[in-house]
Amino acid sequence: MPCVADWLNNPFSIVQGIFAQNVPNSDWEKKVTEYFKEKLKENNATNWVPSLNDVPVHYLKPNSLVKFRCMVQDMFDPEFYMGVYETVDPNTNARVLHFGKYRDVAECGPQQEIDLNSSQTVTLERQTFYCVPVPGESAWSVVVLNPQFYAYISASQARVSPSTSYTPSRHKRSYEEDEDMDLHPSKQKEQHMGSGSDIHGCVEPKRLETEASAGHHLISPNCSRPLDLNFPLPGEKGPACLVKVYESWDSFKVNDVLEVYGILSVDPVLSILNNEERDNSALDPMECMDAAEEQRVHSPPASLVPRIHVILAQKLQHINPLLPACLNEEESKTCEYLNLTPLFVSNFMSELSPVRAELLGFLTHALLGDSLAAEYLILHLISTVYARRDVLPLGKFTVNLSGCPRNSIFTEHIYRIIQQLVPASYRLQMTIENMNHSRFIPRKDYAANRLVSGVLQLASNTSLVVDETQLQQGQLDRTGVHNVTALGNLITWQKVDYDFNYHQMEFPCNINVLITSEGRSLLPSDCQVHLQPQIIPPNMEEYMNSLLTAVLPSVLNKFRIYLSLLRLLDYSISDEVTKAVEEDFVEMRKNDPESITADDLHRTLLVARFLSLSAGQTTLSRERWLRAKQLEGLRKARLQQQKCVNGNEL
Amino acid sequence: MSSPASTPSSRRSSSKRGRGSNPPTPQDARSPPSQRRRTDDSTSTGDLQPMPTSPPVDAQSPGGPDALFSSPPQFRHSAIPLDFDISSPLTYGTPSSRVEGTPRSGIRGTPVRQRPDLGSVRKARQVDLHSDGVAEDVVATDQSLGQRLVIWGTDVNVASCKEKFQRFLQRFIDPLSKEDEDIGLDLNEPRYMQRLEEINMVGEPFLNVNCDHLRSFDENLYRQLICYPQEVIPTFDMAANEIFFDRYPDSILEHQIQVRPYNALKTRNMRNLNPEDIDQLITISGMVIRSSQLIPEMQEAFFKCQVCAFTTRVEIDRGRIAEPSVCKNCNTMHSMALIHNRSMFSDKQMIKLQESPEDMPAGQTPHTIVLFAHNDLVDKVQPGDRVNVTGIYRAVPIRVNPRVSTVKSVYKTHIDVIHYRKTDSKRLHGVDEETEQKMFTEERVGILKELSKKPDIFERLSSALAPSIYEHEDIKKGILLQLFGGSRKDFTHTGRGNFRAEINILLCGDPGTSKSQLLQFVYNLVPRGQYTSGKGSSAVGLTAYVMKDPETRQLVLQTGALVLSDNGICCIDEFDKMNESTRSVLHEVMEQQTLSIAKAGIICQLNARTSILAAANPIESQWNPKKTTIENIQLPHTLLSRFDLIFLMLDPRDEAYDRRLARHLISLYYQSEEQMEEEYMDMTLLRDYIAYARSYVNPRLSEEASQALIEAYVDMRKIGSGRGMISAYPRQLESLIRLAEAHAKVRFSEKVETIDVEEAKRLHREALKQSATDPRTGIVDISILTTGMSATARKRKEELAQALRKLIQSKGKTPTLKYQQLFDDLRAQSDTAVTKEMFEEALRALADDDFLTVTGKTVRLL
């Protein structure tokens, strides 16, 4: 299909075509987006676009259309670029107009020069986001997302020698591509050397070398320190990317998850630029201070951090690949090019209750036979902050799972199971060392002018499992205290105060926190569930492993859809039920004014909400309310019991 | 006559206005500057004065002067240096052109200082000249029309521009001006003439011009200044210098006066900068985050031929010096060498400015922009300063390599600073109100005023406060008054010091009664709020500490929460968990509103005019209604008495309340965002309302109000006096006054009236009722708060101690007693129940009297 290949492999030719047709007015920009929107709407077209998440950069063709699913980690300053520029051929005086959009380097032919003072030049503005893959993204979501690239990933994970037939051929092509790229600047250089008077001429061969190495995806020799790609979570891999956004960048925020379609730019010239600047820095006092550092961070080698020039960008509500990207009616209109099936929801709803039962059973097993805890775990997993009333986040449901066996691999396995169910998760081991030494709060590094990420910079709806069973007695230092406070703030207010040195800035977040602990956690939580294991498996490891292998992948997928979907449903309470709940509360207070407080009502309302949602109901019914009360009663009774036990022990 | 020359010549001719010279011919325009420069050179080489920059005409012109005029294209080439050469007097104040014309010693003797802040991209614009033939024609026709000439590419006519500006300087009067720099100015005289006089006396050759003044004087001139700053400002310089040296011909200045416009009306947010602002005069505000070392920037390079000693100068062109490869004189290749100490340098500093946190939309990271400060402006600001910067916005293309035509399609942007204005420099001196005032649009003020006329405004506002928190109306009202604050009174001149205007509030009560939520709300509402938790904060974190900057090795005073919330509110959660030493710093802050620091050789007193909103939990997790406030929260009474209002947030137990609470909570859980917003006033309006009242309304006590206050105070004193206790102290009267003032502010009233006093009284009583009720007698007893114990309790304690003493004495001369035995005896003897605590207290009291000592289980008599 030459047509597909065209817009996919060489989008510039399309843009050039549209540009040439509409040149005097600025309509062409709109037309370009329209064109690609149309193209992507075609059936399964989105699947044709290679994803930077799955394919290593060096296997992708430069200047081709790619997609990238990522989180905005940092926003750089807006940059002004030449939207339209003119080149002049000094010999013939022929003038040609070019567009600078979607490009890093103003292109011009070997015989041409850019006329910087042309009246035709249009200066435009674009914004650069530093994007990283969604932190803590589960392995399954990548696999499901792009089956055709799955084999590919497993190959690249093995890494030693890419052995699929596909890879070498690709590699060869990209190699050629690079040579192509090299060819063209060097031609110009030759010209210059030919002109004789150039005292810089002697430097040229060296430069060619570095350029070539940059082109071949090695870390450039000038890069003395390895570049910190600034992933929020330790040990993350994946391509970080500089995403250049051309329109409505104000609507994007830090920590938003985006899916962008754009033109990949790994122009090796960018790396030369880099080197060039660094060479200069030795001489130029301007660069001495932090400019060099900033330069290093803001324009890293393109082979390491590729650029994407966005044609279409879209905020994702969720990152579960098993679900269509947008579920709301109105929103789906705006992103119809992604092939939505609104039917999807209703279909799934019909088989909701068996799925729920199965999930409950699965989790009950995982929690060693404790069905109450499993019930609460489901509620926790579908909780999400759906609104904020002044400062109060509504809908957060932090569960403290107490009574976990100490020093066993239990908590680790609980995390592994959650990891299997949610699209993004992270296990935070709350050891003294971790608290004292890791960076939780993102911090602005003014020298490099970037936001240095921290563990708590997570995308919405990430599951954060805090393992407090790991905590030993010991001394928390300054950082430790800060970290614990930040974690506490995150749980209570669902916000993280990023450290901007001279001031702090508040970033709201939406993170599901599950705390596993022996006794009551030192962190605040919305509800504490004490685990009562019914079975003690002799070999925990084996038990848990068999549990996971026993679940069919299709069932597992249903669980995943279930948890992601229910989070997005709307919910309301009818007047009638409101009355009943009111009565109930008054009654409860009458009977036991000491122990029933407004907090209890809050919590019970939350439980009722998630309970209804977990059954696929979007309004509260009387039965659900009673069931919620019952659950709360059971939970409290357990805590009471636990207190007594502890009391006796003391 | 070839037309392009008209531009330069017109400029020059205007600059030589008054000399009445003939209309210059192009030849005239071309040759004299270089000659003049030479002569000038000879006069001033001795002291190495900076001179009017002029490009090396000879070095750059492709041919001889004859060839120059032969063909248009070539001529255009020459037009660059030409134009620039002649514009240089314009740019730098025209000393050379006046050498003959104006033989005043003043202006002649005063050297010119280059303005790198204006000139750096100048040539890029000039080069435009050749690509655009049309404009030349326009100029040509202009010239033929006579003196109606404009600077190329602009609509600025130098002569009229200068005239207008001179008129502005001579005539502008703004009697209503309220600037902090106005001290010592006679507002009814032309202000800028006074400024010039100041320059004459002080010798600082900079004239700051408020663009707003210029705008009100001449709209068109203002527009020109904004659009073409690099043409217009030099004209202004010229105008100012002419006037100055006319008036003060003998004045000796370091260099000629430079005009520095500021406040380019629209103080822009960094986020709003867009490509249209390039090369325009802008004012933006922000915070300095880094500043570089001083950088000497070469303005003009001096080259000398190694072979024939021919010298030439090359001016900086877009940040680069083009080294001449061939000697003009002897035609030797690569013989020119740079002579460093004859080249000219100027000071330069790179500064990074970051958007101020208030300007930022939620969820985005702040933008930064690079500033270049030149000459005098170097090192004028430090990291951490909040500044308003006026300057010219620049964009420079980045070349991949100077020799290769590939250009990165991105521009580097920066601002050449012309004027700094610190927004927080006055903070330590205490008169920042004016500069920090939030600007309100007329209509916004209208809305606010309209709102203030509503009879139920107080209720409205208080219900808009943390709507998600149910009821606690009085507490919200109290906090509302705290947000408004009293009127600031300054009695320093009578030696009585400042009176506190801030209202401090303590909330105590059961855990889970949304105290923290209230605090969070307040913290988010006010622009200068700080939120700390008593648990984590140390005295250092609250006050200030001295830090050594790792780069500059300078000692820096880092301010803590209390200082940072100066003029704001400091919210302290878990007040009871704060350790003793930390709490002790609050004593000074809460009454004197200052903070004294003596650390690492820095001794100072910082202003901390902050209101404190604290929340404390009872010591035994649940509020014990049988105990007093002090007993419940275990805070020293010295601190408690500094709170104007102490509220108890308790969980009331009553059915109707429960019902309403339940409904409220449920509605929270399903009402949509919009519905909620309809019901309550939105937060920005509330914020504006408070900001407006705080900065513009300053109520004073009316006669009746003072009477009412006196009565209220006397009444309060009376209540207790019947039982031999004092129920009110002057501190309570002060509190009442503050509350009444704050209430008047809520109404936007300049006068405190009786209704204000009534409400203040009511709130105060309400708070007292809650916190200062003696649980044993049910009587409001202020001494619980002031001395930590109710009068009856104290009486009882004394009685018990006496009874115990009697008991012991009655036992005769036994040196030791059994503890338990004694306790039982006392219990048996007393007619009221004696708890173990009471007994221990009594023992302690006796021990204090040196009557006995307690060791373990035995009591030893002394």
Side-chain angles (χ1 to χ4, degrees), chain B residues 267-317:
Chain B
T267 301
R268 277 167 186 270
N269 184 335
M270 214 175 282
R271 222 159 259 277
N272 297 339
L273 289 178
N274 58 43
E276 271 127 62
D277 296 320
I278 291 175
D279 284 333
Q280 302 212 336
L281 190 72
I282 54 167
T283 300
I284 59 169
S285 59
M287 190 168 65
V288 177
I289 51 169
R290 321 257 317 164
S291 59
S292 75
Q293 309 263 306
L294 189 144
I295 302 158
E297 191 189 41
M298 192 178 278
Q299 285 298 312
E300 204 175 88
F302 189 90
F303 288 99
K304 191 173 172 186
C305 178
Q306 307 279 46
V307 180
C308 65
F310 173 79
T311 62
T312 183
R313 287 161 186 275
V314 180
E315 210 192 329
I316 187 166
D317 178 11

Side-chain angles (χ1 to χ4, degrees), chain B residues 346-633:
Chain B
S346 69
D347 292 349
K348 186 172 173 183
Q349 185 181 31
M350 187 171 88
I351 290 153
K352 277 211 189 125
L353 192 72
Q354 183 190 281
E355 216 171 354
S356 26
E358 300 88 70
D359 294 341
M360 240 176 304
Q364 304 208 350
T365 56
H367 287 176
T368 53
I369 192 158
V370 175
L371 310 179
F372 284 121
H374 305 270
N375 295 333
D376 282 79
L377 293 174
V378 167
D379 270 346
K380 277 281 151 63
V381 290
Q382 302 265 310
D385 286 347
R386 302 277 185 101
V387 291
N388 277 334
V389 175
T390 305
I392 303 176
Y393 195 38
R394 308 282 196 190
V396 190
I398 311 170
R399 272 182 186 269
V400 170
N401 176 330
R403 301 281 157 182
V404 172
S405 54
T406 328
V407 174
K408 207 176 170 191
S409 62
V410 180
Y411 295 96
K412 251 186 186 166
T413 53
H414 70 266
I415 293 176
D416 279 322
V417 180
I418 291 181
H419 185 275
Y420 281 128
R421 190 185 166 92
K422 282 194 203 182
T423 43
D424 60 353
S425 60
K426 298 276 162 45
R427 221 164 110 203
L428 296 179
H429 314 299
V431 273
D432 52 330
E433 235 75 333
E434 261 76 20
T435 50
E436 264 191 55
Q437 257 172 33
K438 219 177 150 186
M439 297 309 278
F440 293 102
T441 58
E442 296 269 316
E443 47 188 316
R444 194 68 176 171
V445 173
I447 293 172
L448 295 178
K449 288 217 167 122
E450 190 63 35
L451 205 60
S452 71
K453 293 207 179 72
K454 298 235 164 85
D456 61 340
I457 179 65
F458 191 46
E459 279 71 25
R460 260 169 197 266
L461 292 176
S462 71
S463 67
L465 210 65
S468 65
I469 297 164
Y470 187 62
E471 292 215 328
H472 297 300
E473 285 307 319
D474 284 329
I475 297 176
K476 286 190 189 172
K477 280 180 182 167
I479 292 177
L480 189 68
L481 292 187
Q482 180 183 35
L483 289 170
F484 282 89
S487 310
R488 190 156 290 160
K489 304 164 205 70
D490 191 357
F491 294 114
T492 26
H493 54 278
T494 56
R496 285 191 291 160
N498 272 317
F499 272 42
R500 165 160 73 99
E502 283 72 21
I503 296 169
N504 299 323
I505 294 183
L506 176 67
L507 308 174
C508 33
D510 292 340
T513 38
S514 39
K515 293 188 297 292
S516 310
Q517 210 180 314
L518 256 177
L519 259 58
Q520 277 281 340
F521 183 89
V522 170
Y523 158 64
N524 281 320
L525 183 72
V526 293
R528 275 220 191 153
Q530 289 291 326
Y531 184 94
T532 61
S533 169
K535 225 196 253 165
S537 50
S538 60
V540 160
L542 277 182
T543 55
Y545 61 102
V546 177
M547 210 182 68
K548 197 168 246 174
D549 192 306
E551 276 170 42
T552 58
R553 316 295 299 156
Q554 243 175 3
L555 283 178
V556 184
L557 197 63
Q558 291 274 344
T559 44
L562 284 172
V563 181
L564 285 178
S565 58
D566 186 26
N567 271 324
I569 290 187
C570 186
C571 303
I572 307 177
D573 208 350
E574 310 197 56
F575 197 59
D576 49 316
K577 308 253 184 347
M578 207 176 253
N579 65 26
E580 204 52 45
S581 64
T582 314
R583 232 182 263 147
S584 67
V585 303
L586 287 172
H587 284 239
E588 188 191 348
V589 172
M590 288 177 68
E591 205 55 51
Q592 272 71 47
Q593 305 279 291
T594 55
L595 233 162
S596 306
I597 286 162
K599 234 181 206 142
I602 296 181
I603 298 166
C604 63
Q605 204 171 41
L606 298 175
N607 274 318
R609 291 154 306 173
T610 166
S611 309
I612 289 179
L613 176 62
N617 286 323
I619 225 80
E620 358 172 334
S621 82
Q622 280 281 316
W623 188 268
N624 187 345
K626 295 193 185 70
K627 290 186 169 177
T628 61
T629 312
I630 302 271
E631 286 161 341
N632 259 315
I633 50 176

